[in-house]
Amino acid sequence: MSEDAQGQSGPIHPPDTAERSVVVCGTAGGVGTSVVSALLAEYRAGTSLGGASWWVDAAGNDGDIHQRLRATGDQTLLRTALGTGLLPAPEAAVSDIVLHTWRFGAVPVVDAGARPLTVLPELESDELGSVTPVLIVGPRPDLLNRSREIFTEWDQAGVLAKTIIVICCQVPTLNHQALTQMLVDAVSGKVAGVVGLDYEPVLGEGTALDKDSQQRFSSRTWESIGRLSAGTRRA
């Protein structure tokens, strides 16, 4: 039992929306977990959820996403130009973070960083049964090989079947199509979906991610984020 926004004890339920709450994990550091999760929250703010779309920083790193998104307002919950709420959540359990956002009617995208095995027990819990897990993978042979243990553990826990895998290409000259197809073939039928995110020059600059910068994204980038968003909607 938890305490709701009015201070009364009782179960806390997710908001009644088509979009599910999301927990995003990277299979390794530097694969684009924070950027992909923030863009998903921005996409949902701009298309369906408005201010109910929150991005929660639970990666445990000194991130700069709030600065790159040019967020303003109250430091406890900054807002982007599209209305996404940015919530810092240092040293908090993911399940507590999700329940906290639900108290305010928010539908969060939680950046859990490169902690897929640490977060796994929480993703198995009944509290997060309605949450969609997302795994971010880099399309390099070494990163894919390092991901095998994660896929195995998530599969044995019964979490992989509801997980969306995002293959995030961060190098412009890397031909990742063969590796992407290899991964799709390997996990076909075991995951909820696989989304490929091609190299985006604007993201490659490593600078702003605000609304003006987003307008310069290629159509393929937004198509990929749109497919990811569609995969997080209730059936």
Side-chain angles (χ1 to χ4, degrees):
M1 305 292 280
S2 302
E3 192 172 283
D4 63 20
Q6 284 73 43
Q8 300 174 343
S9 62
I12 301 172
H13 302 288
D16 186 17
T17 66
E19 286 74 13
R20 293 176 179 267
S21 301
V22 178
V23 173
V24 184
C25 292
T27 54
V31 294
T33 307
S34 295
V35 169
V36 172
S37 58
L39 290 181
L40 174 59
E42 283 278 87
Y43 183 92
R44 301 206 297 182
T47 59
S48 57
L49 291 174
S53 179
W54 286 17
W55 178 80
V56 184
D57 182 4
N61 303 318
D62 293 332
D64 61 353
I65 291 294
H66 64 291
Q67 295 170 331
R68 296 175 67 189
L69 285 170
R70 304 286 193 261
T72 58
D74 188 339
Q75 288 294 321
T76 61
L77 185 67
L78 299 172
R79 291 279 182 183
T80 70
L82 288 174
T84 303
L86 306 185
L87 179 69
E91 300 181 3
V94 169
S95 55
D96 290 340
I97 292 168
V98 173
L99 294 177
H100 173 74
T101 64
W102 287 353
R103 290 186 180 99
F104 298 92
V107 184
V109 177
V110 180
D111 173 11
R115 300 182 297 144
L117 298 181
T118 301
V119 173
L120 180 57
E122 293 189 82
L123 294 176
E124 292 181 83
S125 69
D126 292 338
E127 284 183 315
L128 299 188
S130 65
V131 171
T132 297
V134 172
L135 276 175
I136 310 295
V137 182
R140 285 179 6 209
D142 61 320
L143 295 178
L144 292 178
N145 284 329
R146 289 166 58 190
S147 301
R148 292 177 184 272
E149 178 186 1
I150 297 165
F151 291 147
T152 299
E153 294 290 336
W154 280 42
D155 189 22
Q156 292 176 348
V159 173
L160 192 64
K162 64 177 185 177
T163 297
I164 299 174
I165 294 177
V166 176
I167 304 168
C168 183
C169 186
Q170 298 176 293
V171 181
T173 57
L174 178 64
N175 181 3
H176 69 288
Q177 297 301 327
L179 291 172
T180 297
Q181 189 58 49
M182 185 187 304
L183 179 57
V184 170
D185 292 341
V187 301
S188 179
K190 295 184 178 181
V191 298
V194 180
V195 175
L197 184 61
D198 286 337
Y199 176 76
E200 169 54 62
V202 177
L203 295 178
E205 295 171 0
T207 55
L209 292 175
D210 59 357
K211 185 177 180 181
D212 290 341
S213 297
Q214 292 172 26
Q215 291 174 346
R216 297 191 289 118
F217 286 177
S218 69
S219 59
R220 290 182 303 176
T221 296
W222 281 126
E223 288 169 3
S224 295
I225 299 298
R227 287 196 297 272
L228 175 57
S229 178
T232 66
R233 293 175 63 88
R234 301 180 192 278

